[in-house]
Amino acid sequence: MSGVDLLIVGTQGPGGIGQYITEQRRHLDGEIDFSIQQIGDFSTAGVLAFLRSVLLILGNALAFTRRSPPDVLHVHSSYRFSFYRAGFYVLFATHVWNRPVVLHIHGSSFDEFVRTAPLPVRWYQSIVFDAAAEILVLSAGWKDVVALRADREKITTLPNAVDADDYGSAFEGGVPHVAFVSTLSERKGVPELLAAAEELLDSGMEFRLSIAGKGTFSPRVEAFAAAHGDVEYLGFVSEAEKQELLGAASIFVLPSHAEGLPIALLEAMAAGNAVVSTTAGAIPEVVDEGGLLVAPGDATELAAALAELIDDPERAAAMGRHNRRLAGERYAWSTATAALLDTYEHHAERSRAIAH
C-alpha cells in the first residue's frame, strides 16, 4: 500500500461526480490511505431545504479547515456553483496548508462555463487553476478549453473509466432493444429522442425503447411511453437495474447537446451496446467504429441513425463487440487507478519535502 495520505473532496450521491467518487473509492481501497471530505450541494426542494443545504455546505467547509492536512488532495469539480465551492478547498489547501491539490474537472457544460464567463468569474477561474498543482480533464478537447485559463503544462487528460466486469451482454437477438439512461432534460436531447422514436414507430419499424432516468421531462416521457406499447419508462434506476438494462439492450442512444465524457456511454459500451449519440464534447474521441454520431439537436438525423442500426442488427452487434473490447482496454478502472496512484505519489513528494 502507498504511504500517501490522500483526501478526496467532492459531492457524493447521484450525479457524475458522486458516481465517480464511489468507483474511485472502490478501486483505491487497499491501494492507498484516503478519507472523504463532503462538500455538499444546494437543494432546490423549497426554501427550508435550500437554507439547510447552505448551512450544510458552510458546516462542511468549516470542518475542513479544522482537520489535519493530508499529503495530497484530489478535489472534484463541475461548473458554476460546483466550481465556486470547490475553489475554496483548492485555495485553502494550497495557500493555508501548503499542500498540493489535484483538481479534477467534470460536467457537461464546463466548456461553456469557461468560454462565456464574465470578467469576475474568469478571474476566479484563473486563480483557482493557478493554485492547483495539477488539473485533470476528461479529453484532449477539454484540455484546450481549460488552457484558456490555466497553464497547459499542468493539465493532464484522464478519461472517465468503467469496470467492464460489472457489465455483460444478455441480448440474444430478436427485436432490437434501444436504451437511454441519463437525466431527462433538454440538454440530454430528450425532445429529439422522443421525436425520432415517434417517427420510427409511425413508420412501422419494429424495436423496443427503454428510457431510464428522471428530470424535467419525466412527465412527458411517461406519457409518451403510455401511448406507445413498445416504449417503457423506468424512472430512476439503481446501479444493479442500470447494469441489467444495458446488458439487455443492443443499442444505446444519448442525443446530448453538451457533454464531457459521459460515464453512461462507457457503461453502455462495456455492456456491448452499439452507440447512437452526438458530436458533443468528448463523445467523438470515444465513439469510432462502434457507433453513429449526429449533430446535436437534429431529430431527423437521429431517427436516420437509429433506423440504420435497427435495420442491420448484425452491424449493431459487431459495433457492440468492438465497444466492449474498447471499454475493457482503453477505459478500464485498472488503468485509471494506476494513473491516479502515480499522480498522488508524484505530488506527495512535495508534501514530504515541506515536512522535512
Side-chain angles (χ1 to χ4, degrees):
M1 180 183 290
S2 169
V4 176
D5 178 20
L6 171 70
L7 179 61
I8 300 171
V9 181
T11 300
Q12 296 178 264
I17 290 179
Q19 185 177 353
Y20 189 97
I21 291 176
T22 297
E23 290 299 307
Q24 182 183 11
R25 295 176 65 175
R26 179 159 75 104
H27 289 88
L28 290 179
D29 188 33
E31 301 288 344
I32 190 172
D33 289 324
F34 67 88
S35 55
I36 304 293
Q37 170 68 49
Q38 175 74 278
I39 291 180
D41 205 354
F42 291 113
S43 172
T44 57
V47 175
L48 289 179
F50 174 76
L51 292 175
R52 282 195 296 267
S53 69
V54 170
L55 291 176
L56 179 61
I57 290 168
L58 294 174
N60 288 335
L62 180 60
F64 172 77
T65 66
R66 295 176 174 175
R67 69 183 302 153
S68 298
D71 295 328
V72 181
L73 293 88
H74 186 158
V75 178
H76 294 274
S77 175
S78 183
Y79 54 94
R80 294 184 62 195
F81 292 108
S82 173
F83 186 84
Y84 303 150
R85 297 193 300 274
F88 163 77
Y89 292 86
V90 175
L91 295 171
F92 187 94
T94 300
H95 297 300
V96 178
W97 285 346
N98 198 20
R99 292 296 191 267
V101 177
V102 177
L103 177 60
H104 200 152
I105 299 301
H106 307 263
S108 58
S109 297
F110 199 90
D111 53 347
E112 182 180 355
F113 174 62
V114 170
R115 290 191 174 108
T116 65
L119 183 60
V121 175
R122 293 203 300 270
W123 172 79
Y124 184 70
Q125 291 169 348
S126 296
I127 65 169
V128 170
F129 286 142
D130 185 61
E134 185 170 355
I135 304 165
L136 303 181
V137 296
L138 303 179
S139 70
W142 279 44
K143 183 173 184 176
D144 292 337
V145 170
V146 174
L148 295 173
R149 301 279 185 274
D151 180 1
R152 176 178 285 273
E153 294 301 314
K154 65 177 181 181
I155 306 173
T156 302
T157 300
L158 181 68
N160 280 332
V162 64
D163 193 336
D165 292 338
D166 291 342
Y167 296 84
S169 178
F171 182 75
E172 297 179 348
V175 177
H177 186 185
V178 180
F180 171 96
V181 182
S182 192
T183 306
L184 300 184
S185 65
E186 184 173 5
R187 191 181 68 191
K188 294 296 183 179
V190 172
E192 292 79 47
L193 172 62
L194 298 184
E198 186 159 37
E199 178 182 333
L200 297 178
L201 291 168
D202 288 348
S203 72
M205 184 163 285
E206 188 178 13
F207 68 98
R208 293 172 52 211
L209 172 61
S210 298
I211 301 175
K214 293 185 69 176
T216 55
F217 278 79
S218 292
R220 183 171 165 184
V221 171
E222 187 173 9
F224 185 83
H228 298 85
D230 292 323
V231 180
E232 62 175 344
Y233 172 50
L234 302 173
F236 176 81
V237 293
S238 67
E239 283 298 307
E241 291 168 334
K242 178 176 62 177
Q243 291 169 8
E244 182 179 358
L245 170 61
L246 293 176
S250 56
I251 300 168
F252 178 72
V253 59
L254 186 66
S256 298
H257 296 185
E259 280 294 355
L261 198 173
I263 294 176
L265 173 64
L266 299 181
E267 292 170 335
M269 291 169 62
N273 291 182
V275 170
V276 174
S277 191
T278 68
T279 55
I283 293 173
E285 297 179 36
V286 178
V287 179
D288 43 28
E289 61 258 44
L292 301 176
L293 302 182
V294 303
D298 194 323
T300 301
E301 274 194 41
L302 181 65
L306 285 168
E308 194 171 330
L309 295 188
I310 291 170
D311 270 341
D312 194 346
E314 290 185 3
R315 184 184 179 196
M319 287 180 170
R321 290 191 294 270
H322 168 81
N323 285 339
R324 181 162 173 78
R325 286 194 301 271
L326 194 65
E329 295 170 2
R330 188 182 301 173
Y331 300 103
W333 256 111
S334 58
T335 302
T337 301
L340 288 173
L341 290 172
D342 287 345
T343 297
Y344 302 147
E345 185 62 41
H346 170 74
H347 292 294
E349 293 178 3
R350 172 186 161 190
S351 290
R352 297 186 186 115
I354 292 170
H356 295 90

